[in-house]
Amino acid sequence: MFDYFNCGRVHFLGVGGVSTSLLARFLHSCGVPVSGTDREASEALLSLQEAGLDVWTGFIPERTGRPGAVVYSSAIAKNDPEYLYLSSCGVPLFERFDLLGAVSGVFSCVVGIAGTHGKTTTTAMVSKVLFDANKKLFSHVGGKCRDQNDFLFTGKDYFVCEACEYKKSLLSLRPDIAVVLNAEVDHPDTYKSLSEIYDTFDLYLQNAGKKSLRLLCGDSPYYFARQLQNNPMTFGRGKDNLFRIVNERERNGKYGCDVLFYGEPVCSFDLSVVGRHNLLNGAACAAVCSLLKIDGNILSSSLSSFSGVKRRFEFKGTINGAKVYSDYAHHPSEIAAATEAGRRILSGRGRLIVVFQPHTFSRTEALLPQFVRSLSDADLLLLVKEYAAREKEENGMSAERLFYYLTNIDKIYCKTILDAAAVIIKKVAPEDVVLVLGAGDVDVICDLLIGKSE
């Protein structure tokens, strides 16, 4: 494995990304000289500058120079001018997940949290509990937490890491506790079938090693299809789970429960975040922290005070009295969970107004029937032009084509975010709930709406 800690300066391409910025700050905190570039200025870049890192926007060859190693994010294309320049200089280049694996080796205990859905929230939950328990850790969360620093590094005992399946990057980890929350069809530019996704999660669990602990949702199809015979530890609602959710309760869309281990109490929590799906995230966190011998009272208190991750059913404010929420949901299952939570908040009053921006052409085409079904619950659906990310239209289906398949009675196609904002300002009523969904830049619409009134 490449020695990133003794190679001289490490230069990051796409340093403003959530993961790359965390890894850059970690190396910097370990005394490694770090530099980095990104295409555009951002809060993340400013934060890195304030932390003392040498970062800038655009490609400046004389400033880039010849670093000891280069780490690039998955958003960097192989024809990127700076990538090509550094390749021609003979500098060793590594994708982000190569460094992630190297960093994980620094810690006494690695907790890897994988799954198609919920891994960001669950990783944030575990990080918060360990921090509240005064443990020494580094938190690698794929989102911005509302109740902890963007860069949480207090020591080298625990590495709590969101293990992403995109490009199979989770296979760079050798976790001591390997968690799989769920597994569904996603990232069709990486996986051609559900079986391929299952194969990758199988390898991830195998990488954990013989002495490691494996923790799965015992209610998930993946568990029954691939892991039942391996007898891993499980969490969930079913009576056969080792860590079992019981005594579910709900108030205004926020849920609580008790968690038992072999029938004995582990903890009891009432979440401050909206959505029933978060009970499974909380139960996974409870299981991990119980295995790490965290006191049940600390666990209960920490989970109950967890305030969530930005863009995970995040309350943004109101428009004309209607509540506006932002959610990163870009997969049909996530959309369904968000709309279910929205219905709970409505309680039969007003309309559920959903703004959705598809993310990548390939995902839209691969999951077309599921998108149609999950979006059908909106009383008013505004479909915004896709956020293409790394793809071109020939890779799949555009938002405009998706629009014609949608079965919603009240639906509007919007070419721009501004168009969608204008429609909402005109049509929203005080008792409505507005959900802004998508992994692209659709979140901007919230800033355009909040505080607006006729």
Side-chain angles (χ1 to χ4, degrees):
M1 181 176 289
F2 188 81
D3 187 358
Y4 298 90
F5 297 91
N6 295 289
C7 69
R9 177 169 57 97
V10 178
H11 183 67
F12 285 78
L13 304 183
V15 72
V18 176
S19 177
T20 46
S21 63
L22 289 173
L23 293 171
R25 288 192 66 171
F26 178 78
L27 289 185
H28 176 74
S29 70
C30 293
V32 178
V34 172
S35 61
T37 60
D38 217 319
R39 288 176 295 213
E40 299 177 357
S42 64
E43 289 184 16
L45 229 58
L46 179 59
S47 178
L48 290 171
Q49 279 193 336
E50 291 173 342
L53 281 73
D54 183 22
V55 298
W56 62 91
T57 57
F59 174 35
I60 307 174
E62 60 272 21
R63 190 168 179 181
T64 300
R66 187 185 174 91
V70 171
V71 176
Y72 60 95
S73 80
S74 58
I76 301 298
K78 297 297 174 64
N79 62 354
D80 176 86
E82 192 165 11
Y83 181 97
L84 293 173
Y85 164 77
L86 289 163
S87 297
S88 69
C89 293
V91 178
L93 288 91
F94 304 93
E95 196 158 354
R96 174 201 61 86
F97 57 78
D98 291 313
L99 173 58
L100 185 68
V103 165
S104 70
V106 173
F107 293 83
S108 302
C109 178
V110 177
V111 180
I113 299 175
T116 309
H117 319 295
K119 54 186 175 288
T120 299
T121 296
T122 306
T123 306
M125 285 175 165
V126 173
S127 299
K128 181 180 186 300
V129 173
L130 293 182
F131 179 78
D132 290 347
N134 295 315
K135 301 299 182 182
K136 297 178 180 179
L137 75 147
F138 174 35
S139 173
H140 180 273
V141 181
K144 293 186 176 296
C145 305
R146 287 182 240 171
D147 51 12
Q148 66 187 43
N149 294 332
D150 289 344
F151 179 62
L152 180 59
F153 175 44
T154 60
K156 296 181 180 178
D157 287 345
Y158 297 98
F159 182 40
V160 185
C161 181
E162 178 174 335
C164 181
E165 73 274 18
Y166 179 59
K167 286 192 173 182
K168 304 184 180 181
S169 64
L170 77 173
L171 298 182
S172 67
L173 298 172
R174 302 292 183 271
D176 298 287
I177 298 180
V179 182
V180 177
L181 303 171
N182 45 62
E184 284 196 82
V185 173
D186 198 10
H187 302 301
D189 51 344
T190 300
Y191 305 99
K192 302 304 180 187
S193 67
L194 181 62
S195 179
E196 286 189 11
I197 294 172
Y198 281 6
D199 289 345
T200 297
F201 282 116
D202 287 349
L203 286 173
Y204 164 71
L205 292 171
Q206 290 172 21
N207 283 350
K210 292 182 179 180
K211 294 183 179 180
S212 300
L213 299 174
R214 296 162 180 78
L215 178 67
L216 281 76
C217 177
D219 305 331
S220 67
Y222 169 68
Y223 165 72
F224 287 106
R226 292 293 185 90
Q227 294 298 320
L228 177 63
Q229 70 280 6
N230 294 327
N231 199 31
M233 306 187 83
T234 60
F235 68 92
R237 294 184 172 89
K239 61 181 178 61
D240 292 329
N241 287 293
L242 297 183
F243 291 91
R244 187 182 176 196
I245 295 171
V246 296
N247 300 328
E248 284 192 37
R249 45 198 177 265
E250 181 263 342
R251 185 176 181 182
N252 298 325
K254 299 176 181 178
Y255 288 79
C257 72
D258 303 335
V259 177
L260 306 179
F261 180 55
Y262 284 111
E264 295 297 320
V266 172
C267 66
S268 177
F269 57 84
D270 292 281
L271 294 172
S272 300
V273 291
V274 173
R276 186 170 183 253
H277 59 284
N278 279 312
L279 283 184
L280 282 173
N281 298 331
C285 171
V288 168
C289 293
S290 176
L291 294 172
L292 294 175
K293 308 301 183 185
I294 303 300
D295 179 81
N297 291 325
I298 294 175
L299 179 51
S300 298
S301 174
S302 185
L303 271 175
S304 295
S305 61
F306 175 72
S307 60
V309 179
K310 292 182 179 180
R311 295 190 72 180
R312 272 40 174 208
F313 215 90
E314 179 185 10
F315 176 65
K316 303 290 288 190
T318 63
I319 172 172
N320 290 342
K323 294 179 179 179
V324 179
Y325 294 86
S326 173
D327 197 281
Y328 198 70
H330 55 285
H331 183 281
S333 295
E334 296 162 354
I335 294 169
T339 55
E340 179 187 359
R343 286 287 175 204
R344 284 284 183 179
I345 295 171
L346 275 171
S347 298
R349 302 183 304 273
R351 297 173 301 165
L352 184 63
I353 301 176
V354 175
V355 184
F356 176 60
Q357 179 189 51
H359 185 259
T360 73
F361 298 102
S362 60
R363 181 183 287 112
T364 304
E365 182 172 63
L367 302 177
L368 174 61
Q370 295 95 317
F371 275 118
V372 171
R373 186 164 57 251
S374 65
L375 291 166
S376 65
D377 193 40
D379 297 313
L380 169 60
L381 175 64
L382 277 63
L383 190 70
V384 180
K385 180 177 171 58
E386 69 283 331
Y387 188 83
R390 52 194 173 267
E391 295 186 344
K392 297 180 180 179
E393 188 169 351
E394 56 262 31
N395 297 127
M397 177 178 288
S398 68
E400 193 168 11
R401 285 177 58 202
L402 167 63
F403 180 78
Y404 291 102
Y405 288 95
L406 296 172
T407 58
N408 305 65
I409 295 174
D410 201 352
K411 62 177 183 176
I412 300 172
Y413 178 74
C414 302
K415 291 184 178 179
T416 69
I417 288 171
L418 282 174
D419 292 341
V423 171
I424 293 173
I425 291 169
K426 181 178 179 181
K427 290 180 172 288
V428 72
E431 292 188 334
D432 294 341
V433 167
V434 180
L435 299 184
V436 179
L437 309 180
D441 59 1
V442 70
D443 185 61
V444 173
I445 198 172
C446 298
D447 298 327
L448 302 176
L449 295 178
I450 302 309
K452 290 286 186 181
S453 60
E454 293 181 353

